[in-house]
């Protein structure tokens, strides 16, 4: 007697077709739920690197056939050790396009639409078209941007956050690096912008950070760490990507189906020490610049973008430095990378009112975060 092949959705069916004890309040098991997920749920994966490749694969195998992926990068040789969807012959090609093609080749019935561009290049309406946005990013600024965009649609979204502070008496290697980057650089190179993509500039910050670390007896300053702190890069390895992606895919399924209660409220992977979860109720901060009411700033029509940025940096509540500003997906002025700074520099002397298309009350994005800095009464 022949033994039939098990269904690819066998394990998924155990979650979606049967009742359970830790289900959400709106869970209704049955094949209709599985089909509804296939037909109605659209998921956007932001980033097609190490984590993004894993996410596309896991989400496709978890029963999400309608996926989009956005990434601005092309494949490099150094990506091949952990970004398993890419091959040597793919070097130089857009990550989003190759990743989408490879997953669709292996998982029948999945449609993945790639977007080879920067996340800021898409209008805000693009993001509102998705039910779930899953992040596979290694840039804190990019995470913050998407977090701000999602908050504008959903009211509250929580994403991983990382912070390096500057201290007169440093305690960590990151403190020494940020001191060299944000304070020492300006003291020595008055008027010259720091270029994070220039190896000479990065080497200078690294050398100064080493000197400060030695002065205070702090170990751990390396060139690689300097790059990570200055560029706000979160490092990743293959096994970590796989574990985090599996958790994200499962949480995505739980959110759209209610087949189980979601995490409350975070999971930390500590390598050989294992996983740590904790129940923490998030409380909305009424003064939060992302999900709160924002800050009202009244300007006159003639105020230039440069004067507006000066006001933001001097504002006692905002505490901003190296301000970049965008409006409705258009970069008005970007501090980095240097090519964008040069392209948007001419806007600094133009009235903000004109750059906003004559809109007298609206929202801008500041430093990659949808901070809801609002202008009104532009007269």
């Amino acid at each position: 007697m022949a033994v039939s092949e098990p269904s690819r959705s066998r394990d998924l069916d155990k979650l979606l077709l049967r009742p359970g004890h830790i289900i959400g309040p709106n869970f209704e098991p049955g094949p209709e739920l599985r089909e509804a997920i296939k037909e109605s749920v659209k998921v956007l994966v932001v980033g097609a690197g190490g984590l993004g490749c894993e996410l596309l694969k896991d989400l496709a195998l978890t029963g999400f056939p309608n996926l989009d992926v956005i990434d601005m990068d092309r494949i490099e040789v150094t990506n091949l050790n952990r970004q398993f969807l890419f091959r040597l012959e793919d070097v130089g090609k857009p990550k989003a396009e190759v990743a989408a093609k490879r997953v669709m080749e292996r998982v029948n019935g999945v449609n993945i639409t790639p977007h080879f561009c920067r996340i800021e290049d898409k209008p805000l309406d693009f993001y509102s078209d998705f039910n779930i946005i899953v992040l596979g990013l290694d840039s804190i600024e990019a995470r913050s941007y998407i977090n701000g965009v999602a908050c504008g649609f959903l009211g509250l979204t929580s994403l991983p956050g990382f912070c390096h502070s500057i201290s007169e008496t440093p305690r960590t290697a990151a403190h020494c690096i940020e001191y060299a980057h944000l304070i020492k650089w300006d003291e020595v190179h008055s008027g010259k912008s720091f270029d994070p993509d220039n190896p000479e500039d990065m080497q200078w910050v690294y050398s100064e950070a080493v000197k400060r670390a030695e002065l205070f007896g702090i170990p751990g300053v390396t060139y690689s760490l300097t790059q990570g702190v200055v560029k706000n890069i979160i490092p990743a390895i293959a096994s970590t990507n796989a574990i985090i992606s599996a958790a994200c895919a499962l949480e995505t399924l739980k959110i759209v189906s209610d087949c189980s209660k979601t995490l409350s409220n975070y999971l930390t992977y500590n390598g050989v020490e294992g996983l740590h979860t904790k129940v923490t109720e998030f409380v909305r901060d009424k003064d939060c610049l992302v999900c709160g009411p924002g800050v009202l700033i009244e300007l006159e029509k003639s105020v230039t973008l440069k004067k507006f940025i000066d006001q933001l940096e001097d504002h006692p509540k905002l505490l901003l430095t190296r301000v970049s500003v965008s409006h409705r997906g258009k970069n008005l002025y970007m501090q980095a990378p240097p090519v964008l700074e040069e392209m948007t520099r001419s806007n600094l002397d133009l009235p903000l009112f004109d750059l906003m298309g004559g809109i007298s009350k609206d929202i801008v994005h500041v430093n990659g975060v949808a901070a809801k800095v609002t202008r009104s009464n532009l007269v």
Side-chain angles (χ1 to χ4, degrees):
M1 179 178 178
V3 178
S4 60
E5 288 289 328
S7 168
R8 196 183 77 186
S9 63
R10 179 191 61 186
D11 294 328
L12 186 62
D13 289 347
K14 292 179 180 179
L15 294 174
L16 300 181
L17 305 186
R18 306 185 308 182
H21 297 293
I22 56 173
I23 59 174
N26 299 313
F27 179 60
E28 295 182 4
E32 298 81 9
L33 175 59
R34 186 179 60 198
E35 294 306 312
I37 292 175
K38 289 182 179 180
E39 296 175 4
S40 305
V41 177
K42 291 190 63 178
V43 179
L44 172 65
V45 175
V46 184
L51 183 55
C53 286
E54 293 280 355
L55 286 168
L56 285 173
K57 176 259 294 180
D58 287 348
L59 290 168
L61 292 174
T62 306
F64 294 96
N66 303 309
L67 302 171
D68 284 53
V69 58
I70 182 170
D71 195 297
M72 64 176 286
D73 291 333
R74 295 180 181 271
I75 300 166
E76 300 177 6
V77 173
T78 55
N79 300 147
L80 302 182
N81 70 325
R82 66 191 184 282
Q83 299 175 20
F84 71 98
L85 294 176
F86 307 141
R87 307 290 181 266
L88 187 59
E89 61 267 24
D90 299 324
V91 171
K93 299 177 183 178
K95 288 185 176 182
E97 295 176 5
V98 175
K101 176 175 176 289
R102 287 277 152 70
V103 174
M104 286 191 292
E105 289 174 348
R106 297 296 298 272
V107 184
N108 293 331
V110 172
N111 180 53
I112 304 176
T113 303
H115 305 271
F116 175 46
C117 62
R118 300 170 64 252
I119 56 177
E120 296 90 349
D121 292 340
K122 291 291 187 182
L124 297 183
D125 289 346
F126 168 79
Y127 295 101
S128 67
D129 195 36
F130 297 95
N131 304 97
I132 298 283
I133 299 176
V134 186
L135 300 191
L137 295 166
D138 62 0
S139 165
I140 295 174
E141 185 175 65
R143 287 174 182 263
S144 298
Y145 178 84
I146 294 295
N147 186 35
V149 170
C151 280
F153 299 132
L154 308 176
L156 179 62
T157 298
S158 172
L159 297 178
F162 300 82
C163 178
H164 296 299
S165 61
I166 305 173
S167 176
E168 287 299 321
T169 304
R171 301 180 303 279
T172 69
H175 290 163
C176 300
I177 294 168
E178 288 287 43
Y179 180 88
H181 171 216
L182 298 177
I183 297 179
K184 196 67 176 179
W185 175 271
D186 288 336
E187 290 180 356
V188 177
H189 304 87
S190 180
K192 178 185 175 183
S193 297
F194 174 80
D195 182 356
D197 297 316
N198 186 327
E200 293 182 359
D201 289 3
M202 190 66 71
Q203 180 64 43
W204 187 92
V205 169
Y206 165 62
S207 299
E208 291 299 315
V210 169
K211 293 177 185 177
R212 186 164 177 81
E214 291 176 347
L215 180 63
F216 288 92
I218 297 174
V221 175
T222 64
Y223 186 80
S224 176
L225 178 63
T226 301
Q227 288 180 305
V229 171
V230 170
K231 292 186 175 184
N232 285 334
I233 298 297
I234 306 164
I237 59 176
S239 59
T240 303
N241 288 331
I243 293 169
I244 298 305
S245 173
C248 289
L250 181 58
E251 289 304 302
T252 301
L253 178 66
K254 288 154 65 175
I255 289 171
V256 300
S257 69
D258 233 10
C259 67
S260 178
K261 295 179 180 178
T262 56
L263 280 173
S264 296
N265 245 319
Y266 65 85
L267 176 150
T268 303
Y269 173 59
N270 294 318
V272 295
E273 296 182 6
L275 297 171
H276 171 69
T277 62
K278 186 174 182 180
V279 177
T280 303
E281 291 299 324
F282 289 156
V283 178
R284 183 188 293 270
D285 182 355
K286 62 181 179 61
D287 296 322
C288 177
L289 293 178
V290 177
C291 63
V295 175
L296 178 66
I297 299 179
E298 296 186 353
L299 304 172
E300 302 209 0
K301 281 186 179 181
S302 59
V303 170
T304 64
L305 177 60
K306 176 65 169 63
K307 290 184 178 179
F308 173 62
I309 290 175
D310 290 341
Q311 286 195 26
L312 293 177
E313 293 180 342
D314 293 337
H315 198 288
K317 185 176 181 179
L318 299 178
L319 301 175
L320 297 173
T321 59
R322 294 178 57 81
V323 169
S324 297
V325 181
S326 62
H327 173 250
R328 296 196 172 187
K330 178 183 177 182
N331 295 324
L332 302 186
Y333 178 70
M334 304 300 290
Q335 289 276 357
V339 63
L340 278 182
E341 196 283 329
E342 184 176 353
M343 290 172 57
T344 57
R345 191 183 303 157
S346 60
N347 288 338
L348 290 173
D349 296 325
L350 300 178
L352 178 63
F353 182 74
D354 294 343
L355 293 171
M356 292 169 54
I359 300 175
S360 61
K361 185 177 182 181
D362 210 350
I363 296 172
V364 295
H365 290 80
V366 179
N367 283 8
V369 178
K372 296 184 180 178
V373 179
T374 308
R375 294 139 314 281
S376 67
N377 297 338
L378 285 160
V379 295

